[in-house]
Amino acid sequence: MQKKKKLVEYLIEKGLFITAIFSIVIILIIFIFIINEGIPAISEYGFLNFIFGMTWAPSDSQFGVFPMIIGSICVTLLSLLMAVPLSLLCAIFMAEVAPDSVRKVLKPVIETLSGIPSVVYGFFGLIVIVPLIREQFGGTGFSMFTASLILTVMVLPTIISVSQDAIRSVPSEYREASLGLGATNWQTIKNIIFPAALPGIITAIILGMGRAIGETLAVIMVAGNVPLIPGSIFDPLRTLTSNIALEMGYATGIHYSALFTTAIVLFIIIIVLLLVAHYFQKKYSMDAYGGHA
Amino acid sequence: MGFSKIIPPKIAQKIMNGVFIASGIVTLLILVLILGYILVKGLPAFNLEFIFGNPIDSGKEGGIFPMIVSSLYVTLIAGLIATPFGVGAGVYMVEYANNNRIVRLIRFGAETLASIPSIVFGLFGLAFFVVFLHLGWSILSGGLVLAIMALPTIFQVSEVTISSIPNSYREGSLGLGATKWQTIYKVVLPAAIPGIVTGVILGMTRAISEAAAVMFSVGASIQTPISIFDPGRPLPLHLYMLATEGISLEKAFGTAAVLVILVLIITIVTNLVVDRYQRKIMGK
């Protein structure tokens, strides 16, 4: 009896271990399959040609994704430029300024909004924002600016709710000490709370950035999808993700493989971003807890 | 900052208060206006025929019943598959894992999985489930892709919840002679249920909202899927096709509204149920 019990405990532990390493296994399989499918295009076209090539013309066997790399980076940065200030102010409002009753309403509303399907936002952009941009700024209305606006709206809830949690988790002693020394609420927020919450806020921004760079269909619906480097923010552009979604439906042979290679490029960009983010996170958490701040 | 030297602190305080309140209102207004617009525009399309009817002429007329079924079907499969793995991994990390390197590796794996763009999952689903495993364009292929996407969310929320259960619970149970697994199963998990359910629902909302990840694995059939090997077309994908192929604006608005309402219902009902359960446990 005792022995059987021990065996069951042992098996359960091993079973749980398997569920735990499952995500690692999945990632490995994903990497292997994406890279494996991408190799034919790399070996035929060359990885550097692929990354730095300026022309994407599958019918001519031209597979340069440089304009798409620029496109992805541009829409992501522009949307963060708009989303970060607004969402940080909103997060501070929710965490430090608003009374409890307002916060109790706002928090679930914001969290629910982050669950709204991105296609819905894309659809809204197509119907409302694209005509608006066309009337106000000329052109077709399908542009980098339109796509960035839609992405801004999409990442707002993510950045707000995560950075709000970070601000709320700053120990209240910090706040009380600062207020006790005669600082105003704003001085306390600016000099004490914000620096202490910075690592969490960076995490929030990274999450938002990841969402923006990975978004596909909502961007396709409003960005115009021309595979050229945009000259202004009112020019159309194509992102790496859009490139995959637009052409996968009918791609064959080397073209099919080139779309998997596009995914590899996307992987590399995201890994670089994650590393950069981790670096800043570490750096600022030093400053906030005993550095030279 | 020169700014703070010129403006007296009390006035700066008033200005900033105004800025904070304004940005809170602006943000909320933007988000609520968008949803309001979709719902108001979508409402005229609503009737029983739209919800329970089949699409006619590739969605120009008729209803969206097969898409609603497809959406619920793939989401359910995703939840059923991802939950045991996600919760199991959460339990392992909190209760068993004692090797720091493995813990860090697993956490890194989940983070990476969470940051992979959905379209890459779509590619993977096509190459792996549809082609390599010969599952074809089917509800099962789509559900499996969504399960992988929902996994990190369920795992991360479960881990946080389980680790927040006070140690005294475990000690009490172990002290009474229960084994480790009995303690987890009878004491820790029931106490963690509200958080775990929230995590599962978060994962499933991510799944039901997803179009890019399933567009190359679930097919685009407008028939109501019966078996898990039938192809289908979840609502977000249908909305995307209606809008980009210019099939019907009216039906697109209706579909968007259904999707929004579905997500709202799921979130609100879960919050209510979790709240009630939490109160019941606390009451005891």
Side-chain angles (χ1 to χ4, degrees), chain A residues 5 8-9 12-13 16-24 26-27 29-31 33-34 37 85-90 92-93 97 106 108-121 123-124 126-128 153-154 156-157 160 184-187 189-190 210 213-218 220-221 240-242 244-249 256 259-260 263 266-267 270-271 274 278, chain B residues 1 3-4 9-10 12-13 16-17 19-21 23-28 30-35 37-38 84-85 87-89 91-93 96 102 105-106 108-113 115-121 123-124 126-128 131-132 148 151 177 179-182 184 205 208-212 215-216 236-237 239-240 243-244 249 252-253 256 259-260 263-264 267 271:
Chain A
K5 236 183 194 173
V8 171
E9 290 282 318
I12 285 172
E13 179 174 347
L16 289 172
F17 177 70
I18 291 173
T19 63
I21 56 163
F22 191 64
S23 39
I24 311 267
I26 292 272
I27 291 211
I29 301 179
I30 292 179
F31 274 129
F33 268 80
I34 300 283
E37 299 282 349
L86 186 58
S87 43
L88 290 191
L89 288 172
C90 185
I92 295 175
F93 168 71
V97 181
L106 271 182
V109 171
I110 299 279
E111 275 166 0
T112 308
L113 288 171
S114 71
I116 298 298
S118 51
V119 187
V120 172
Y121 289 123
F123 178 58
F124 178 82
L126 179 68
I127 299 301
V128 179
V153 173
M154 284 178 49
L156 276 177
I160 292 173
T184 62
N185 194 13
W186 162 237
Q187 285 170 329
I189 292 171
K190 186 180 63 173
I213 206 165
E215 182 48 49
T216 313
L217 300 184
I220 290 186
M221 290 162 101
L240 290 164
T241 51
S242 318
I244 301 172
L246 285 165
E247 302 188 355
M248 199 62 218
Y256 177 88
L259 296 178
F260 280 85
L266 203 54
F267 261 138
I270 284 172
I271 287 171
L274 281 180
H278 272 282
Chain B
M1 234 203 285
F3 160 83
S4 55
K10 276 199 177 147
Q13 174 68 51
M16 286 320 289
N17 264 347
V19 171
F20 288 138
I21 294 171
S23 51
I25 293 172
V26 166
T27 312
L28 204 65
I30 294 174
L31 295 166
V32 171
L33 272 180
I34 293 180
L35 290 194
Y37 181 84
I38 298 281
F85 282 101
V87 177
V91 170
Y92 181 83
M93 294 287 276
Y96 291 95
I102 290 187
L105 186 69
I106 291 172
F108 173 77
E111 265 174 40
T112 314
L113 206 55
S115 62
I116 294 179
S118 50
I119 188 71
V120 176
F121 283 110
L123 281 188
F124 169 69
L126 173 68
F128 188 66
V131 177
F132 184 73
I148 298 176
L151 181 64
T179 64
K180 191 162 186 172
W181 173 244
Q182 286 170 333
I184 293 168
T205 358
I208 206 168
S209 310
E210 195 46 63
M215 66 191 295
F216 307 123
L237 195 54
L239 169 59
Y240 174 71
T244 51
L249 214 55
F253 270 118
L259 204 46
V260 169
V263 171
L264 290 183
T267 322
N271 279 341

Side-chain angles (χ1 to χ4, degrees), chain A residues 202 206 272-286:
Chain A
I202 294 176
I206 296 163
V272 170
L273 286 179
L274 281 180
L275 290 178
V276 170
H278 272 282
Y279 168 77
F280 276 109
Q281 229 167 354
K282 258 208 181 123
K283 189 177 158 194
Y284 285 110
S285 56
M286 293 285 193

Side-chain angles (χ1 to χ4, degrees), chain A residues 89-167:
Chain A
L89 288 172
C90 185
I92 295 175
F93 168 71
M94 282 169 68
E96 296 291 325
V97 181
D100 264 355
S101 54
V102 176
R103 173 166 46 242
K104 278 207 181 100
V105 178
L106 271 182
K107 200 170 175 326
V109 171
I110 299 279
E111 275 166 0
T112 308
L113 288 171
S114 71
I116 298 298
S118 51
V119 187
V120 172
Y121 289 123
F123 178 58
F124 178 82
L126 179 68
I127 299 301
V128 179
I129 310 289
V130 168
L132 203 72
I133 301 283
R134 188 186 305 140
E135 279 160 29
Q136 296 297 316
F137 303 101
T140 58
F142 294 94
S143 68
M144 170 174 153
F145 185 59
T146 323
S148 304
L149 278 180
I150 293 303
L151 287 178
T152 301
V153 173
M154 284 178 49
V155 300
L156 276 177
T158 310
I159 304 184
I160 292 173
S161 49
V162 180
S163 52
Q164 202 248 153
D165 286 340
I167 295 169

Side-chain angles (χ1 to χ4, degrees), chain B:
Chain B
M1 234 203 285
F3 160 83
S4 55
K5 280 191 189 115
I6 303 162
I7 301 174
K10 276 199 177 147
I11 297 181
Q13 174 68 51
K14 278 196 179 136
I15 295 175
M16 286 320 289
N17 264 347
V19 171
F20 288 138
I21 294 171
S23 51
I25 293 172
V26 166
T27 312
L28 204 65
L29 217 60
I30 294 174
L31 295 166
V32 171
L33 272 180
I34 293 180
L35 290 194
Y37 181 84
I38 298 281
L39 288 178
V40 168
K41 285 281 212 172
L43 236 44
F46 263 65
N47 51 45
L48 283 182
E49 193 217 331
F50 184 64
I51 305 285
F52 294 107
N54 282 316
I56 302 163
D57 198 5
S58 63
K60 199 172 272 177
E61 297 292 326
I64 53 168
F65 186 66
M67 291 79 189
I68 296 180
V69 173
S70 293
S71 265
L72 296 177
Y73 215 160
V74 286
T75 307
L76 194 69
I77 290 181
L80 284 179
I81 296 171
T83 304
F85 282 101
V87 177
V91 170
Y92 181 83
M93 294 287 276
V94 179
E95 306 288 339
Y96 291 95
N98 45 21
N99 181 336
N100 250 332
R101 212 189 272 154
I102 290 187
V103 167
R104 246 181 297 159
L105 186 69
I106 291 172
R107 217 167 267 154
F108 173 77
E111 265 174 40
T112 314
L113 206 55
S115 62
I116 294 179
S118 50
I119 188 71
V120 176
F121 283 110
L123 281 188
F124 169 69
L126 173 68
F128 188 66
F129 295 123
V130 177
V131 177
F132 184 73
L133 294 183
H134 296 290
L135 296 176
W137 282 296
S138 62
I139 293 289
L140 182 61
S141 298
L144 286 168
V145 173
L146 294 179
I148 298 176
M149 286 190 66
L151 181 64
T153 311
I154 298 178
F155 162 64
Q156 283 161 343
V157 178
S158 303
E159 190 192 349
V160 170
T161 313
I162 293 169
S163 67
S164 73
I165 303 296
N167 258 334
S168 54
Y169 283 39
R170 294 180 187 95
E171 285 152 10
S173 167
L174 292 171
L176 287 170
T179 64
K180 191 162 186 172
W181 173 244
Q182 286 170 333
T183 302
I184 293 168
Y185 186 68
K186 298 249 167 79
V187 178
V188 175
L189 283 182
I193 280 283
I196 292 176
V197 170
T198 313
V200 171
I201 296 299
L202 269 178
M204 287 173 73
T205 358
R206 197 175 168 197
I208 206 168
S209 310
E210 195 46 63
V214 295
M215 66 191 295
F216 307 123
S217 52
V218 80
S221 157
I222 50 173
Q223 307 287 325
T224 306
I226 308 290
S227 127
I228 53 172
F229 296 106
D230 288 343
R233 184 195 288 190
L235 286 166
L237 195 54
H238 187 55
L239 169 59
Y240 174 71
M241 293 169 118
L242 287 181
T244 51
E245 288 166 21
I247 295 171
S248 161
L249 214 55
E250 188 209 342
K251 301 291 177 193
F253 270 118
T255 310
V258 169
L259 204 46
V260 169
I261 291 172
L262 215 53
V263 171
L264 290 183
I265 290 177
I266 294 174
T267 322
I268 292 168
V269 168
T270 322
N271 279 341
L272 287 179
V273 171
V274 165
D275 243 32
R276 181 164 293 177
Y277 182 88
Q278 223 153 13
R279 235 172 260 154
K280 211 170 112 191
I281 285 214
M282 296 289 183
K284 275 180 192 166

Side-chain angles (χ1 to χ4, degrees), chain A residues 55-104:
Chain A
T55 326
W56 177 269
S59 48
D60 282 345
S61 296
Q62 296 270 353
F63 301 107
V65 292
F66 194 68
M68 277 86 109
I69 296 179
I70 299 296
S72 279
I73 293 175
C74 283
V75 278
T76 304
L77 289 185
L78 187 57
S79 62
L80 286 182
L81 207 64
M82 295 187 276
V84 168
L86 186 58
S87 43
L88 290 191
L89 288 172
C90 185
I92 295 175
F93 168 71
M94 282 169 68
E96 296 291 325
V97 181
D100 264 355
S101 54
V102 176
R103 173 166 46 242
K104 278 207 181 100

